[in-house]
Amino acid sequence: VVAGGGADWPLAQALARGLPATTLAEGAVREVPGAQGEAALVYPLALRAGGQAQVALAWPMGQGGAAGFVPPPTPAAVDAQFAEAAAAWRERLNRVGLQLPAAGQRVHDTLRSMLAQILLSRDGPALQPGTRSYARSWVRDGAMMVAGLLRLGERAAAEEFVDWYQTQLFDSGKVPCCVDARGADPVPENDSHGQFIYAVAELWRFTGDRAALQRRWPAVARATRYMESLRQRTRTAENRTPDRAAFFGLMPASISHEGYSEKPMHSYWDDFWALRGYKDAVALASAAGDAAAASEFASWRDEFASELSASLRAAVARHGIDYLPGAAELGDFDATSTTVALNPAQAQGLLPPGLLEATFERYWQQAQQRARGTLAWADYTPYELRSVGALVRLGRPARAWAVLDFFFADQRPAGWNQWAEVVMNGYRVPRFLGDMPHAWVASDALRSLLDLFVHEEGEALVLGAGLPEAWFDGAGVAVRGLPTPHGLLSYRLQRGPGGLHIDIDAGLQPPPGGLRVRWHGREQRIDRLPASLTLEP
């Protein structure tokens, strides 16, 4: 069935004159007095099981008249357009090659779907969490999507977001938490500055584009100085007293963490992002050739890191807890937000000894109870997928897979490789789900799934830390053309007669910390490429 038309068609002219609309009722057409002009195109279709039918519509987007007329497409033309679009998407979603056993197919499929969901949720350059519930763009979501996009070779989309969001900064250097059709939102959310700086730094690390860095550097410098002005607000004599010592030197209280939307809190989520921002500001200043700023920012970074560490110790002591708190004044347990201490903040060295491990041990115990049905729960947000990457980085791949299997079971509809923003314990519960798919959730899933294959750890790249042992049998695991800050990574891990064998192609410059192949409690460092060796048992 084919339909087409232009603004000069009788139906369009009738609607433009505001004639009474028609509506459908049990197959009949009737007038609705006083209604605005509307129309319905009806296509009765009768399909057998497994059958298909095609309806092609051509609609003019111009001003009408002869120039705006769109001729009805032929079925062959429609098929050709669909084939062209599908081929373009397949190329875009398969730039990184993965060869996995059958048990890993859902990882492969979900990675590609997560990338597509982020790209389809965009509004021009704006990276948005969804297309239905959120007609705005947050720098928080965007920075994490930028990190994921770059890891799958989507440079253009990442650059477009960063360059657009840079235009939304206030003159003071304040980075707005979000932007919509009305402009930048002035509500203070004190994670935003570190997130913007991090997004710029990720572009620099992955592209090495010095001209682009020079264009972005003034905005980074302004954002860093504004972030420092916020930090100075809490470095007061009042906050040196024992009952307020945990607040000294932190970012001021804000509502950036959604759990604190009713009342601003000193959220460590803000501080871990600020730490990442200070680190990246120093690196970007050096890369931009601004030695004075690099020196000044480095002093702020070191002072902030010291005071953040002291704050965490003070909060733990004040609340008598044995885990890392979500907010200094609450001492609450929130492992999902604490994941950013590992990535991107890489703040392990600042944390009170043992508390990071204790935090995720507690998370693991609760995750097991939830999966077994011995812990009552109503819902969760799949931002929790960040815990998969955290557990991989902590050397707990079996636990990472256990929680990942739990999350995979909540992809809905089955086979669509997506999560809603909120997952209920019971799929028929009539409650708000947020957008589905949800592009910020997609960014968390994408980054955690990629951590299974490779992740950064200080100045090293760690390969294979999250891969199940069983995957190395048969043809093994192969990765082709995976972007990293050090070039494209291609490797194969396969079990052979002498043990686990790895081949790593040239094309990647080993980082200062080397490449470290890590598999289930064992590790071997590689400093030269290409490499082909059997790993020590």
Side-chain angles (χ1 to χ4, degrees):
V1 181
V2 180
D8 55 344
W9 279 34
L11 174 61
Q13 294 173 353
L15 295 177
R17 292 196 300 271
L19 297 183
T22 62
T23 186
L24 300 176
E26 298 181 357
V29 179
R30 62 185 179 85
E31 291 190 358
V32 180
Q36 296 297 316
E38 297 174 351
L41 302 177
V42 183
Y43 302 95
L45 301 175
L47 298 179
R48 295 179 179 178
Q52 65 178 14
Q54 179 173 288
V55 176
L57 300 177
W59 203 265
M61 302 301 289
Q63 298 300 314
F69 177 76
V70 177
T74 65
V78 172
D79 289 341
Q81 289 176 344
F82 271 110
E84 181 181 358
W89 275 107
R90 289 192 183 99
E91 186 280 328
R92 193 170 190 178
L93 301 180
N94 289 281
R95 290 172 180 166
V96 174
L98 294 177
Q99 176 190 295
L100 305 177
Q105 188 62 42
R106 62 183 179 180
V107 171
H108 192 198
D109 293 345
T110 297
L111 272 172
R112 291 183 296 173
S113 295
M114 297 294 102
L115 175 58
Q117 289 159 20
I118 292 173
L119 295 172
L120 289 168
S121 297
R122 291 196 302 163
D123 183 2
L127 296 171
Q128 296 189 158
T131 59
R132 181 176 61 88
S133 299
Y134 303 106
R136 49 176 40 195
S137 179
W138 278 264
V139 69
R140 170 175 57 246
D141 307 31
M144 299 171 95
M145 290 184 213
V146 162
L149 289 170
L150 289 170
R151 291 178 70 177
L152 286 179
E154 278 290 341
R155 173 177 174 174
E159 286 188 315
E160 289 169 12
F161 171 77
V162 169
D163 289 338
W164 166 72
Y165 213 92
Q166 178 176 316
T167 66
Q168 306 299 315
L169 269 61
F170 293 94
D171 292 341
S172 63
K174 176 181 177 179
V175 179
C177 61
C178 59
V179 178
D180 59 20
R182 299 168 299 177
D185 193 324
V187 173
E189 294 190 8
N190 295 328
D191 56 346
S192 60
H193 314 90
Q195 288 155 352
F196 171 73
I197 298 168
Y198 168 71
V200 174
E202 283 290 271
L203 277 172
W204 164 246
R205 283 189 281 266
F206 275 81
T207 69
D209 189 333
R210 191 167 298 279
L213 171 61
Q214 293 293 344
R215 292 196 308 271
R216 296 166 187 147
W217 168 242
V220 169
R222 283 166 40 223
T224 306
R225 296 185 186 284
Y226 185 83
M227 186 167 66
E228 175 65 11
S229 74
L230 294 177
R231 185 176 76 91
Q232 292 298 330
R233 295 180 191 177
T234 66
R235 303 183 75 249
T236 64
E238 180 185 13
N239 284 342
R240 290 187 183 275
T241 59
D243 61 332
R244 294 186 60 84
F247 305 150
F248 185 86
L250 299 184
M251 290 294 107
S254 87
I255 61 169
S256 61
H257 184 301
E258 293 180 350
Y260 311 140
S261 57
E262 292 185 4
K263 182 180 179 181
M265 296 289 170
H266 291 84
S267 168
Y268 287 113
W269 166 273
D270 289 353
D271 298 297
F272 290 130
W273 275 110
L275 177 64
R276 180 73 261 173
Y278 279 117
K279 289 179 177 180
D280 287 338
V282 175
L284 292 173
S286 297
D290 193 335
S295 176
E296 183 178 36
F297 295 173
S299 68
W300 296 347
R301 174 201 62 198
D302 295 344
E303 187 174 67
F304 177 68
S306 175
E307 291 171 358
L308 172 57
S309 181
S311 168
L312 286 163
R313 286 169 167 79
V316 166
R318 178 185 178 189
H319 296 290
I321 56 179
D322 61 355
Y323 53 83
L324 293 171
E329 48 266 78
L330 298 178
D332 53 325
F333 178 75
D334 187 355
T336 301
S337 69
T338 303
T339 57
V340 297
L342 279 159
N343 180 48
Q346 297 205 14
Q348 296 93 311
L350 302 178
L351 307 178
L355 288 193
L356 185 63
E357 291 77 9
T359 299
F360 285 95
E361 177 64 30
R362 176 170 173 164
Y363 170 79
W364 166 244
Q365 297 299 331
Q366 292 183 356
Q368 282 187 299
Q369 294 167 10
R370 178 177 60 184
R372 293 170 180 164
T374 58
L375 176 68
W377 64 280
D379 56 36
Y380 71 87
T381 56
Y383 308 134
E384 198 179 319
L385 280 151
R386 292 181 217 131
S387 66
V388 173
L391 290 167
V392 169
R393 292 165 184 271
L394 289 170
R396 298 285 189 268
R399 294 183 176 186
W401 270 98
V403 297
L404 185 55
D405 285 339
F406 176 85
F407 296 140
F408 271 135
D410 286 324
Q411 288 186 330
R412 288 292 185 275
W416 283 40
N417 309 321
Q418 67 178 14
W419 287 273
E421 183 183 13
V422 181
V423 172
M424 252 71 74
N425 186 7
Y427 300 117
R428 302 299 182 188
V429 178
R431 285 184 52 199
F432 177 70
L433 293 174
D435 272 309
M436 185 170 67
H438 194 276
W440 186 19
V441 168
S443 78
D444 289 325
L446 187 156
R447 291 178 299 107
S448 275
L449 291 177
L450 289 175
D451 283 350
L452 301 173
F453 301 92
V454 61
H455 69 265
E456 289 185 87
E457 189 172 282
E459 294 188 319
L461 278 181
V462 179
L463 311 186
L467 300 179
E469 288 269 15
W471 286 17
F472 303 143
D473 296 332
V477 173
V479 176
R480 176 182 51 79
L482 180 62
T484 77
H486 309 282
L488 296 180
L489 172 66
S490 298
Y491 72 84
R492 179 186 292 274
L493 273 166
Q494 187 176 19
R495 199 187 316 278
L500 189 61
H501 192 84
I502 187 166
D503 291 291
I504 310 177
D505 295 348
L508 178 129
Q509 180 65 41
L515 299 175
R516 299 182 183 183
V517 185
R518 184 176 296 163
W519 70 109
H520 297 263
R522 292 160 286 177
E523 181 177 301
Q524 188 161 334
R525 175 166 172 159
I526 299 172
D527 290 305
R528 293 184 179 180
L529 298 180
S532 180
L533 68 154
T534 299
L535 301 170
E536 298 174 4

